[in-house]
Amino acid sequence: MSLFKAGITAAIAIPQGSGVVIGQSTLFYVGAKNFNDAVVKEVSHIRLSLGNAAKESGVTNSVSGQFSLLRKILFDQIATLNETDSENISPFSKVVLGELGIAVEVSESDDILKLIALKKKVEKQIEISGFETEPLMVTIVGGAEAWAVTEDLVAANIRVHLKPARCVPSDFERQKCKVPSSVRPTSIEIMKNSGVKVSMSAESDSFNRNLFWEAGWARADTQRLDSLVSVSEVDAVGFVTWNAVDAMIGEKEAKRLGVGRIVIGTKANLVAFNGSPLIFGPKPKVVVTGKTVVIDPQQE
């Protein structure tokens, strides 16, 4: 409830695990009073991991092995689509049909390029197989080096969810990370200028209540005369609201559910602040999610 009082109305429950396929994530309302009211979308996306963190014994002990496994999973789903019962369709079948997205934890630019190439191959194979589907929904999570391959990301229609919002070059997979406020132009500037759809979250759940300040930091970093592009207050709020939800469940589904934005005919899902939430000082005065309404919430 403390996150709800801080102005966070919805969140993603991320599975914990290792290897390439981590598991299924769930979108839920933070301030809900029971399970039935909490769950917004039981399976919001499939969480995957590529790179050093995903290494295990066997084929996935190398990055090339990880891509080989992911390619096999997706191509096997395409091969069995005609045999699949629509009522018992697997999550990965929904992925190749464009009904469910994958959020891939990956940081290194070369690995991101390999993922883009795999997406193109899968979509080509779907076309060859004669299926009419939506494009694969892919989001890069982490994305420390995503700024280096922006043209490829835009061409492939892949979103980037920065985690953490301000990266640190802590290992070789993040060696090209652009540290905010010290390197110009910033990764946010480069991606926004190129047309990449960007969102962000904190490295740890305990820092999620600071997300608006992270968005404010990203905006402040672009308020210079030599900036590639200026990030507006609306852009910054979008980094941690509608863009973040769109990255995890897809824009069409987010609008249908009315999450991350105000949509007529859906459950109320909004926060009113007594000033700009992007700077230190202003606080949430009204927080609403469906039937849960808190006036002047007091932080714990």
Side-chain angles (χ1 to χ4, degrees):
M1 198 67 174
S2 60
L3 286 179
F4 182 72
K5 292 179 179 179
I8 297 177
T9 60
I12 297 282
I14 301 172
Q16 301 299 309
S18 58
V20 175
V21 181
I22 300 176
Q24 299 176 157
S25 297
T26 299
L27 175 65
F28 66 98
Y29 286 131
V30 173
K33 296 179 180 179
N34 59 62
F35 176 82
N36 290 334
D37 291 339
V39 176
V40 182
K41 189 174 178 63
E42 188 171 351
V43 181
S44 59
H45 65 265
I46 296 179
R47 199 76 166 200
L48 306 175
S49 179
L50 295 169
N52 197 50
K55 289 182 178 179
E56 294 183 313
S57 60
V59 66
T60 59
N61 195 38
S62 67
V63 175
S64 59
Q66 294 166 14
F67 276 97
S68 177
L69 174 62
L70 182 55
R71 182 186 185 281
K72 183 179 187 306
I73 291 172
L74 295 173
F75 272 66
D76 283 352
Q77 296 303 311
I78 298 171
T80 59
L81 278 180
N82 280 326
E83 306 167 10
T84 303
D85 182 352
S86 60
E87 294 184 0
N88 298 306
I89 189 169
S90 73
F92 274 110
S93 290
K94 291 182 179 180
V95 168
V96 299
L97 289 171
E99 298 174 3
L100 184 66
I102 55 174
V104 188
E105 297 177 4
V106 58
S107 295
E108 193 173 6
S109 56
D110 284 343
D111 292 341
I112 294 173
L113 287 174
K114 293 172 189 173
L115 181 61
I116 292 172
L118 177 58
K119 179 179 185 289
K120 291 178 180 178
K121 289 179 181 177
V122 172
E123 290 174 339
K124 183 64 176 178
Q125 185 62 33
I126 294 171
E127 182 182 345
I128 292 172
S129 299
F131 294 103
E132 293 185 5
T133 66
E134 296 291 327
L136 295 186
M137 292 189 290
V138 179
T139 293
I140 302 296
V141 177
E145 297 186 358
W147 65 269
V149 292
T150 54
E151 290 185 7
D152 300 274
L153 289 168
V154 172
N157 193 27
I158 292 179
R159 296 174 178 270
V160 175
H161 186 77
L162 296 174
K163 183 178 181 179
R166 290 174 287 136
C167 75
V168 176
S170 55
D171 54 51
F172 75 92
E173 291 182 313
R174 297 167 179 80
Q175 59 185 324
K176 289 188 283 188
C177 158
K178 282 181 169 286
V179 181
S181 303
S182 64
V183 181
R184 308 297 188 190
T186 67
S187 60
I188 290 284
E189 284 179 70
I190 294 172
M191 287 191 282
K192 186 175 186 301
N193 188 58
S194 299
V196 177
K197 296 176 181 178
V198 184
S199 55
M200 60 180 61
S201 62
E203 179 71 27
S204 169
D205 291 343
S206 59
F207 295 111
N208 278 332
R209 68 180 64 206
N210 298 335
L211 278 179
F212 279 110
W213 296 343
E214 293 286 4
W217 189 313
R219 178 177 185 270
D221 257 354
T222 68
Q223 306 306 300
R224 312 182 319 275
L225 293 177
D226 63 339
S227 293
L228 277 178
V229 63
S230 178
V231 172
S232 68
E233 285 199 349
V234 173
D235 292 330
V237 171
F239 290 157
V240 294
T241 53
W242 55 85
N243 279 0
V245 177
D246 293 351
M248 295 299 121
I249 69 172
E251 183 176 352
K252 185 185 296 185
E253 186 71 352
K255 288 180 176 179
R256 184 183 73 82
L257 295 171
V259 185
R261 50 177 54 80
I262 298 173
V263 179
I264 295 174
T266 63
K267 285 185 177 181
N269 182 37
L270 59 91
V271 183
F273 289 82
N274 62 349
S276 172
L278 304 177
I279 60 175
F280 184 79
K283 300 177 180 179
K285 301 303 289 183
V286 181
V287 185
V288 182
T289 298
K291 298 177 182 178
T292 306
V293 180
V294 177
I295 307 297
D296 198 17
Q298 300 300 310
Q299 294 289 315
E300 297 175 358

